[in-house]
Amino acid sequence: MDDLHERESAQHGADQKAPEGDEPAQNSPVQDTPAQPTPAPVPAAPAHQASPPGAADVRDPDAAEVERLRTEVVDLRGKLDTRERRRVLVRRSRAVVAAILIALAGFGAVLSVIGIWGTRTVYNTDRWVATVGPLPRDPQVNAAVATYLTTELQKTLNLQQRVASALPPEAAFLAAPVAGQVRTYLQQAIARLLQTPQFQALWEEANRKAQPQLIAIIENRSQVVSTNGDTVTLNLLPIVNNVLADVDQSLPNVFGRKITLPTITSGEIPPNLRERIQSQLGVTLPPDFADIKLYNRGTLAQVQDVVVIAKRTVVLTVLGTLVVLALAIGIAVNRRRTVLQFGLWLALATVVLTYVLRAVNSQLLQKVPEGTYRSGASAALHTIFTTLRERGTQLFWLGIIIAVLAYLVGSGRLPVALRQYVVRGTRWVVTTTHSVATGPQLPIWTHRYLDPVRIGGVVVAAIVALLFSSWTALFVIVVVLIVFEVLVTMLAKRGEELDRGGRPPPSSTALPPAPAEG
């Protein structure tokens, strides 16, 4: 019994130690016990139980894919942000470059107009003569030229001494007053001659001859410069000749002798005119007698440089302006805004360059003595730059119109509201005009007052023709007047029918009335 009890206890101990390992019990008191059966395998740990490090790559491939996708999303977001920043930077760069180019285009347009005007006026003889031709008719220019020639004659002839020698000794005190009266008479005579057609012909001929010399000096032609001493002058000796002849007829012996001088009526200056005047007056005329300096390189070198640069670069300026304008509009982010900026820059450039030209004008006038001479020079410059001022005014208003139109086509609240108001107003005008034109009032009124309406149309056309003196404008005015007269006549004919109580004849396409039934 005891042996059986010990065997059961040993078997029970072996059963409890078997799950802890695969090795057989070492301390079993019985050595010859048969081998025990292999224990069941241990079940795997649950899926939710934490795995040791590095086990995810082997046991859970889905987690690795999720981690990879997360990393890829982060990289894509970084690249997207980089592209967005680059896109914003490119847009801002394009806007800045377009703004700079459009400003250059505005100033380039104004400079192009100035260059074209300068080259056409200075280098074209006919345009130059047409520009300076009206100068003698200006009162201030007339007074300056008359004062200059009178002073030249008084200094050369020494009028007071001549008058004193012609008076008896008892009347010597009258020499100064009489000489003053003679000077006044000379100045008035010269002023009258400056307004005659003869002087106009002389003036145009003198300028026609001086203009090539002016161009020669501007372009640095050495042979012309050496001959004229870097100076272009306007010779008024023919005017002096005519004045002396007129004074000798009005005041005989005022020069102490009877003088015989030809009356010059054309633009051609007789040969040896200076020597003939000297011999008749018995004086020696200075080399620059009756010469008005139009140009002197020493004092107007800056003007020469500007004219030369304008001639050489006017074509490049025009083409460059067009290219810059096209580039600015092409790379602009908002083309409407770029066009608006061009209009504003065009107006601003016109104002700026106008002030620059005024400063240059003032600098030139500072070189002229104050008084009558400066007033005459100022009036002359004002006349010469008249066409340029007109072009500047046109450019200014063109820029304003471009800017306003570019603003009105925008999508802002005010432009949209303005467009709506314009559309409504246009519809109202069209509707009202259509109702008046198709109603009986206007035709009947036109029939009753046909003659005053026709005469009024002719008067309006004549006034408009006076404002626009070109042949093209006159042709357009005549065509519009003819169309107006035809329309008025047709309208009056319809009004006559309505005024008599009739109706206009039915149209040929109208359907005949349906026959009555029965």
Side-chain angles (χ1 to χ4, degrees):
M1 292 294 294
D2 293 337
D3 295 335
L4 181 61
H5 181 71
E6 290 176 0
R7 289 180 179 179
E8 289 177 358
S9 299
Q11 182 68 31
H12 180 71
D15 292 340
Q16 290 183 351
K17 292 181 179 180
E20 295 179 2
D22 296 335
E23 298 179 358
Q26 301 294 332
N27 299 324
S28 177
V30 181
Q31 301 294 329
D32 55 350
T33 304
Q36 300 297 325
T38 304
V42 180
H48 63 273
Q49 189 173 354
S51 301
D57 295 338
V58 179
R59 299 184 179 181
D60 196 355
D62 293 338
E65 181 67 17
V66 170
E67 187 66 23
R68 186 186 65 80
L69 292 176
R70 288 177 180 177
T71 304
E72 185 175 355
V73 168
V74 172
D75 294 339
L76 292 176
R77 287 179 177 177
K79 293 180 180 179
L80 183 61
D81 293 341
T82 304
R83 292 180 180 178
E84 182 66 21
R85 286 194 297 269
R86 290 179 179 177
R87 189 177 66 85
V88 172
L89 180 60
V90 170
R91 287 176 60 88
R92 291 178 180 177
S93 301
R94 289 174 56 186
V96 172
V97 173
I100 295 174
L101 292 178
I102 209 66
L104 294 177
F107 278 92
V110 179
L111 290 175
S112 299
V113 172
I114 295 176
I116 293 173
W117 172 86
T119 53
R120 293 185 62 189
T121 302
V122 176
Y123 284 88
N124 188 290
T125 303
D126 294 334
R127 289 185 63 87
W128 171 260
V129 174
T131 301
V132 301
L135 291 180
R137 293 190 290 269
D138 189 280
Q140 293 179 335
V141 176
N142 187 299
V145 175
T147 302
Y148 170 74
L149 292 179
T150 303
T151 303
E152 290 288 293
L153 284 172
Q154 186 179 16
K155 291 189 302 181
T156 303
L157 300 177
N158 199 358
L159 291 177
Q160 186 171 348
Q161 184 179 354
R162 289 175 178 268
V163 172
S165 61
L167 294 174
E170 295 80 4
F173 64 93
L174 297 175
V178 173
Q181 292 298 321
V182 173
R183 174 186 171 86
T184 302
Y185 181 83
L186 283 174
Q187 188 167 350
Q188 293 175 353
I190 293 173
R192 288 194 303 269
L193 283 175
L194 293 179
Q195 297 179 352
T196 60
Q198 291 81 6
F199 174 76
Q200 187 67 30
L202 291 172
W203 174 263
E204 292 181 0
E205 183 65 23
N207 278 279
R208 192 173 296 276
K209 292 182 177 180
Q211 190 265 349
Q213 300 178 16
L214 176 64
I215 299 303
I217 290 182
I218 289 177
E219 294 182 347
N220 293 320
R221 298 178 188 173
S222 58
Q223 64 272 18
V224 178
V225 172
S226 60
T227 301
N228 294 274
D230 295 356
T231 302
V232 176
T233 59
L234 186 63
N235 191 349
L236 298 181
L237 194 60
I239 305 302
V240 174
N241 174 85
N242 292 351
V243 169
L244 293 176
D246 182 74
V247 171
D248 184 68
Q249 293 179 0
S250 303
L251 301 174
N253 298 324
V254 69
F255 302 115
R257 65 176 72 180
K258 180 65 177 177
I259 63 174
T260 303
L261 293 173
T263 301
I264 303 175
T265 58
S266 65
E268 293 294 332
I269 300 177
N272 301 323
L273 180 61
R274 177 182 295 271
E275 290 76 9
R276 188 167 184 177
I277 294 176
Q278 290 181 148
S279 63
Q280 290 292 321
L281 296 178
V283 296
T284 301
L285 299 178
D288 59 347
F289 178 77
D291 286 344
I292 296 180
K293 293 182 180 181
L294 295 180
Y295 176 84
N296 184 277
R297 174 175 292 181
T299 57
L300 299 179
Q302 296 177 353
V303 177
Q304 173 185 350
D305 296 338
V306 171
V307 174
V308 172
I309 293 174
K311 180 188 177 183
R312 294 176 179 176
T313 62
V314 61
V315 177
L316 294 178
T317 303
V318 174
L319 296 179
T321 300
L322 295 177
V323 171
V324 169
L325 179 61
L327 287 176
I329 296 177
I331 68 175
V333 178
N334 189 335
R335 291 186 173 88
R336 180 190 64 83
R337 183 179 299 175
T338 302
V339 173
L340 187 149
Q341 292 175 353
F342 175 71
L344 295 179
W345 278 115
L346 188 63
L348 180 61
T350 303
V351 174
V352 171
L353 294 179
T354 298
Y355 279 100
V356 172
L357 291 178
R358 287 182 179 179
V360 173
N361 188 12
S362 300
Q363 184 179 2
L364 294 177
L365 291 178
Q366 294 298 324
K367 302 179 182 298
V368 181
E370 295 183 1
T372 305
Y373 294 150
R374 181 171 295 182
S375 299
S378 177
L381 291 176
H382 184 273
T383 302
I384 292 173
F385 287 100
T386 297
T387 305
L388 184 59
R389 287 197 307 275
E390 293 176 355
R391 297 295 178 268
T393 303
Q394 295 170 359
L395 282 178
F396 176 80
W397 288 112
L398 177 62
I400 296 298
I401 292 173
I402 292 175
V404 171
L405 292 179
Y407 175 75
L408 291 179
V409 299
S411 58
R413 293 183 179 180
L414 181 58
V416 171
L418 290 176
R419 291 199 297 269
Q420 292 177 352
Y421 289 143
V422 170
V423 171
R424 293 175 184 174
T426 304
R427 290 178 180 175
W428 180 84
V429 171
V430 171
T431 303
T432 305
T433 304
H434 181 267
S435 62
V436 172
T438 55
Q441 293 84 4
L442 182 61
I444 293 175
W445 183 88
T446 305
H447 166 65
R448 294 177 180 177
Y449 301 97
L450 179 60
D451 292 337
V453 170
R454 287 176 171 175
I455 296 174
V458 174
V459 171
V460 172
I463 295 175
V464 175
L466 292 176
L467 298 177
F468 302 95
S469 57
S470 64
W471 289 105
T472 304
L474 183 61
F475 174 76
V476 173
I477 292 171
V478 171
V479 172
V480 173
L481 178 61
I482 293 174
V483 173
F484 172 78
E485 296 293 340
V486 171
L487 292 178
V488 166
T489 303
M490 295 175 61
L491 194 61
K493 184 177 180 180
R494 183 173 182 274
E496 182 180 5
E497 297 175 354
L498 294 175
D499 197 18
R500 291 177 180 177
R503 294 179 178 274
S507 174
S508 59
T509 59
L511 297 177
E517 296 182 359

